[in-house]
Amino acid sequence: MMVHPKSFVDLSLVPAPDRTTQVHRQVPAGHLLNAEGVGRGCGYSRCFFCTRTHGKIRLFPMERGLEDFRSYMEAGVPFIVYVDEDFLPQDDPQRAIEFARGIAKMKEQHRAQYIANHGTEPVLPSFYIAARATAFFQTNDETGNAKRLEALRALKKAGLVKVFLGAESGAEVQFHKTYRKGGSIPEVEEAIRVIHGQGLQVVAGFITFDPVQTTQQLEQDIDFMKRNGLVYVDPLKEPLNPFKYLRAQAGSALARNLGRIGLLASSMDPDALSHDTAYRNPLIRLITQAGKSWKGMTENLDYHLKGIIWVAEQSPEE
């Protein structure tokens, strides 16, 4: 694999895309799925399974993000999925508060103007973000946590309805040693509690199976999902997909570690840029194979169901 030197564009110099055609390609049923939010990069960038280890955050000017939101709103888009990997980077709640207030102000102005012109209520977008758990709670930081909660409440007022968190594991060894996640499992659990406390849904990213996993760790993962309310019976909530397995991304620290212990396949998927792996525990291997088979049969259905769920969701103003 050829690796080219990294270079990073100053996002403050990048013009906004032409939305005049894109805003009309709404998938599914009026929902825009590829909105840009605040920037690019991750505030941690040290997880073993990731190749983005430069730790560099690049932010769009806030005015750019707000104008993008305005273009979606004026096109009648009811639900926006922000694709930023870390919507709340650099642990900066004040920036999130200002962004949320800007959205809320635009929605208020748009509503008044729309009613004056059309005599009916407009569609006001709600939205979905992804963030790290430490953006909502950090141990021994009472003052900071109060500010983080203020930011979450401001985002909810602006239309936030759902948060994706990269929880990844409920087992200590997986979380800290295998994945080298930042923060801690108690911080993830408290972040989930804080988000749920505001009436918002949490969609947890979970890597349920990994090549060096034990059955005890799998049991701990399942217990984590259950005790944190991540296993839904409500048909209008996006379910946690429990059959996620670890991808050995080419060039990652994790792939190198698996290679050293003989669990990494030499061949690489050129599309996913990841390697297949063997499994140390035969039972975990069998469960993973069953999960992959089940996922292959249901993946298309899963995405159709997500579309139906998103269509059913309404913005808080409605």
Side-chain angles (χ1 to χ4, degrees):
M1 180 175 65
M2 182 179 295
V3 179
H4 296 280
K6 292 184 174 70
S7 61
F8 302 101
V9 175
D10 182 350
L11 295 184
S12 68
L13 304 177
V14 178
D18 180 2
R19 304 291 188 192
T20 54
T21 57
Q22 185 184 15
V23 292
H24 294 101
R25 295 200 299 269
Q26 299 162 16
V27 185
H31 290 66
L32 190 69
L33 300 183
N34 60 340
E36 294 175 317
V38 294
R40 292 290 175 266
C42 172
Y44 182 63
S45 298
R46 293 189 292 279
C47 296
F48 259 27
F49 51 76
C50 185
T51 56
R52 181 175 289 171
T53 56
H54 50 71
K56 188 176 180 63
I57 292 287
R58 295 173 296 149
L59 299 176
F60 288 114
M62 189 176 297
E63 297 75 14
R64 152 84 180 266
L66 292 174
E67 284 306 309
D68 271 357
F69 189 95
R70 184 192 301 277
S71 70
Y72 308 140
M73 179 172 62
E74 291 179 348
V77 175
F79 190 73
I80 298 170
V81 179
Y82 279 110
V83 298
D84 307 73
E85 291 185 73
D86 191 355
F87 193 85
L88 301 168
Q90 298 180 322
D91 193 23
D92 187 1
Q94 187 57 42
R95 180 181 171 89
I97 290 168
E98 292 172 7
F99 188 75
R101 287 175 177 169
I103 290 176
K105 183 177 180 181
M106 279 196 303
K107 290 172 81 169
E108 182 181 343
Q109 292 172 343
H110 177 71
R111 178 176 180 271
Q113 188 63 49
Y114 192 92
I115 292 174
N117 291 342
H118 303 281
T120 60
E121 290 284 345
V123 172
L124 296 175
S126 54
F127 57 94
Y128 176 13
I129 66 170
R132 301 184 63 245
T134 50
F136 304 103
F137 179 83
Q138 294 183 24
T139 304
N140 300 323
D141 187 11
E142 185 175 346
T143 301
N145 289 336
K147 196 70 174 177
R148 294 179 189 103
L149 180 58
E150 182 184 351
L152 182 61
R153 286 172 172 164
L155 287 166
K156 179 185 177 182
K157 185 176 180 180
L160 176 66
V161 294
K162 189 183 303 186
V163 179
F164 177 91
L165 288 183
E168 314 309 355
S169 175
E172 291 286 344
V173 172
Q174 272 184 311
F175 191 95
H176 291 292
K177 185 177 180 180
T178 306
Y179 303 156
R180 296 291 177 93
K181 288 285 293 179
S184 67
I185 290 176
E187 285 180 324
V188 174
E189 294 194 88
E190 187 61 22
I192 292 171
R193 188 194 67 78
V194 168
I195 297 167
H196 279 164
Q198 296 303 307
L200 302 169
Q201 185 186 351
V202 174
V203 177
F206 230 79
I207 304 173
T208 315
F209 306 108
D210 81 73
V212 297
Q213 185 180 37
T214 66
T215 53
Q216 182 184 25
Q217 290 167 5
L218 179 57
E219 290 171 356
Q220 291 170 345
D221 286 338
I222 294 169
D223 181 61
F224 179 97
M225 297 178 200
K226 289 181 176 179
R227 72 173 182 264
N228 289 290
L230 300 177
V231 181
Y232 300 123
V233 294
D234 185 340
L236 293 184
K237 286 186 176 180
E238 183 179 340
L240 172 69
N241 181 352
F243 293 111
K244 294 290 181 68
Y245 56 92
L246 189 66
R247 291 191 306 170
Q249 208 71 29
S252 67
L254 185 136
R256 291 193 294 271
N257 285 351
L258 293 176
R260 281 193 285 268
I261 60 177
L263 295 179
L264 189 74
S266 58
S267 59
M268 182 187 70
D269 182 335
D271 296 319
L273 294 180
S274 63
H275 297 265
D276 283 334
T277 64
Y279 285 81
R280 180 179 285 172
N281 186 305
L283 181 57
I284 296 296
R285 176 178 58 80
L286 289 173
I287 296 172
T288 304
Q289 287 176 342
K292 287 181 179 180
S293 176
W294 178 86
K295 184 180 178 183
M297 292 185 292
T298 63
E299 193 161 30
N300 287 337
L301 176 62
D302 177 57
Y303 279 100
H304 287 309
L305 289 174
K306 282 184 180 181
I308 293 170
I309 289 166
W310 289 349
V311 168
E313 290 172 338
Q314 302 297 321
S315 63
E317 292 85 352
E318 296 178 309

